Amino acid sequence: MSLAVVLAQVVRARGDRAEAARLYRLAAEAGEAAASNDLGVMAAEDGDLTAAEAHYRRAVDAGVGPATHNLAVLVWERGDPEQAESLFRRAADAGSALSMNELGVLLSDRGAHDEAEVQFRRAAGLDNPQAANNLGRLIEERAPQEAEQLYRTALRHHSAEARYNLAELLARQGRHPESEKLHRQGAAAGDPLAMNCLGLLHAGRGDYAGAARWYERAIAGGNINSLYNFGLVRGKQGRAAEEELYRRAIEAGQPNALNALAVVLDERGAKEEAERLYRDAITAGITDGLCNLAMLLQEDGRIDEATRFYRRAVEAGDAKAMNNLGLLSFDQGDPDAAETLFRSGLAAGNESAAVNLLLLLTGRLNPDTPE
């Protein structure tokens, strides 16, 4: 390593980026190829991806291993996964655990899970904590015990993501005290995901004030799901602030808030905006909006359209929609269809469907408004 590179590292650490870049350029011009990689890193940090790519390619051509990985990341983020995969493979074959892990992520994203597992295992074997965490996520469903050990391995390297994944795995296994302990450790370390989970825990216990405190901290940390969850808590507390929170969540891109705000507006009588939000929620994939929109349409007398949305909700497994469409079918003179729907609703756990099925079978059913 030349004196120019050593000095560049020192002044860069002190925050003098212009001088560091000048020294790296001197080193690169003097034939020190690794300095071109450093220039690429600095250019990327400054947002000049064209210059970064040029520097990386010069370093790659000169055989600088880290530059191959850095170039792969750049072209992947630019939207060229095929070139990125080729570069990641090249760097991985040269022994880069970072590239093995990123190659695993790329392969997993496109559904090549078996090959992704191979790459994650290679990287995890080289003590890469990200790979251990990613491997855990990949195999968790079929091998929860191994996934747990992988998360714990990554956690020993202070992986916040592994701590969160381990806590959630333990919660799904009913090991709630240890799960909560991990989330509290995460929250203490500033993890907004953990704060949101603690909010959910407190809300589940009926401690809405405690939940609100955690949601407020998570929101301050940038967790958009907490905006939606905080809105739910405010609604349970009878606080008007829920509407503002749902609107903020929508602006931040939280799709469940579309349906939640629509429900608030629907109950308040703002039907036109509620309908628009239900439709937006459905477009965003929120299936709860199907039944809610159908109820609004039925109330407005648009029976044919309401029926279509009820059917879509039934296909999505909505037990409430099964009951409501059963009532609608009975009202339209089709008791057989009503019975089928009530039985489906009963099997899905809807109490109203159970009651209506009994009334239908005993000849005492009178159609009513949806529940």
Side-chain angles (χ1 to χ4, degrees), residues 220-335:
N223 185 276
I224 64 171
N225 288 328
S226 290
L227 287 165
Y228 167 69
N229 292 332
F230 195 13
L232 293 177
V233 164
R234 281 293 187 240
K236 292 180 183 296
Q237 292 177 312
R239 306 280 186 86
E242 63 176 326
E243 180 177 336
E244 177 194 350
L245 287 162
Y246 289 147
R247 291 192 185 279
R248 287 172 60 192
I250 290 168
E251 291 174 2
Q254 217 291 348
N256 286 296
L258 292 163
N259 181 67
L261 178 57
V263 170
V264 172
L265 296 173
D266 196 351
E267 292 174 349
R268 199 174 72 197
K271 302 294 184 179
E272 185 174 340
E273 186 178 2
E275 179 178 343
R276 178 181 61 78
L277 287 165
Y278 284 140
R279 292 184 187 277
D280 288 346
I282 292 165
T283 300
I286 307 303
T287 56
D288 286 349
L290 293 165
C291 184
N292 291 335
L293 177 58
M295 292 168 64
L296 183 151
L297 294 168
Q298 183 179 358
E299 183 181 341
D300 195 45
R302 290 177 275 173
I303 302 302
D304 289 343
E305 191 176 7
T307 300
R308 289 197 297 273
F309 279 100
Y310 275 138
R311 292 195 185 284
R312 287 178 61 184
V314 168
E315 290 170 2
D318 190 318
K320 184 176 182 178
M322 296 169 192
N323 176 67
N324 290 353
L325 184 57
L327 288 170
L328 186 57
S329 298
F330 182 81
D331 191 34
Q332 294 176 327
D334 192 346

Side-chain angles (χ1 to χ4, degrees), residues 109-366:
D109 285 350
R110 77 163 191 231
H113 299 303
D114 290 344
E115 191 177 359
E117 181 175 343
V118 170
Q119 297 299 332
F120 287 144
R121 288 192 183 279
R122 288 178 67 196
L126 295 173
D127 292 328
N128 184 285
Q130 289 178 308
N133 178 68
N134 290 335
L135 178 58
R137 291 179 60 192
L138 185 66
I139 68 170
E140 182 181 301
E141 186 173 342
R142 74 169 191 270
Q145 289 183 328
E146 184 182 1
E148 178 179 340
Q149 293 309 310
L150 287 162
Y151 292 146
R152 292 189 187 280
T153 296
L155 183 54
R156 285 196 290 272
H157 292 270
H158 311 290
S159 168
E161 186 177 359
R163 178 173 49 223
Y164 175 82
N165 289 336
L166 176 59
E168 290 297 285
L169 172 62
L170 295 174
R172 287 190 290 273
Q173 294 176 339
R175 298 155 69 183
H176 299 293
E178 187 178 0
S179 173
E180 182 173 349
K181 179 180 177 181
L182 286 165
H183 278 320
R184 289 191 181 279
Q185 290 173 356
D191 184 358
L193 280 173
M195 297 171 193
N196 180 64
C197 286
L198 288 170
L200 291 170
L201 283 171
H202 281 268
R205 296 166 181 163
D207 177 11
Y208 300 128
R213 287 193 293 272
W214 282 115
Y215 288 144
E216 286 177 326
R217 290 182 60 185
I219 291 166
N223 185 276
I224 64 171
N225 288 328
S226 290
L227 287 165
Y228 167 69
N229 292 332
F230 195 13
L232 293 177
V233 164
R234 281 293 187 240
K236 292 180 183 296
Q237 292 177 312
R239 306 280 186 86
E242 63 176 326
E243 180 177 336
E244 177 194 350
L245 287 162
Y246 289 147
R247 291 192 185 279
R248 287 172 60 192
I250 290 168
E251 291 174 2
Q254 217 291 348
N256 286 296
L258 292 163
N259 181 67
L261 178 57
V263 170
V264 172
L265 296 173
D266 196 351
E267 292 174 349
R268 199 174 72 197
K271 302 294 184 179
E272 185 174 340
E273 186 178 2
E275 179 178 343
R276 178 181 61 78
L277 287 165
Y278 284 140
R279 292 184 187 277
D280 288 346
I282 292 165
T283 300
I286 307 303
T287 56
D288 286 349
L290 293 165
C291 184
N292 291 335
L293 177 58
M295 292 168 64
L296 183 151
L297 294 168
Q298 183 179 358
E299 183 181 341
D300 195 45
R302 290 177 275 173
I303 302 302
D304 289 343
E305 191 176 7
T307 300
R308 289 197 297 273
F309 279 100
Y310 275 138
R311 292 195 185 284
R312 287 178 61 184
V314 168
E315 290 170 2
D318 190 318
K320 184 176 182 178
M322 296 169 192
N323 176 67
N324 290 353
L325 184 57
L327 288 170
L328 186 57
S329 298
F330 182 81
D331 191 34
Q332 294 176 327
D334 192 346
D336 291 338
E339 180 178 346
T340 298
L341 286 160
F342 290 148
R343 289 188 183 278
S344 296
L346 170 61
N350 186 275
E351 294 182 1
S352 295
V355 171
N356 288 329
L357 177 60
L358 177 62
L359 293 173
L360 175 65
L361 295 176
T362 56
R364 294 179 293 147
L365 179 65
N366 290 314

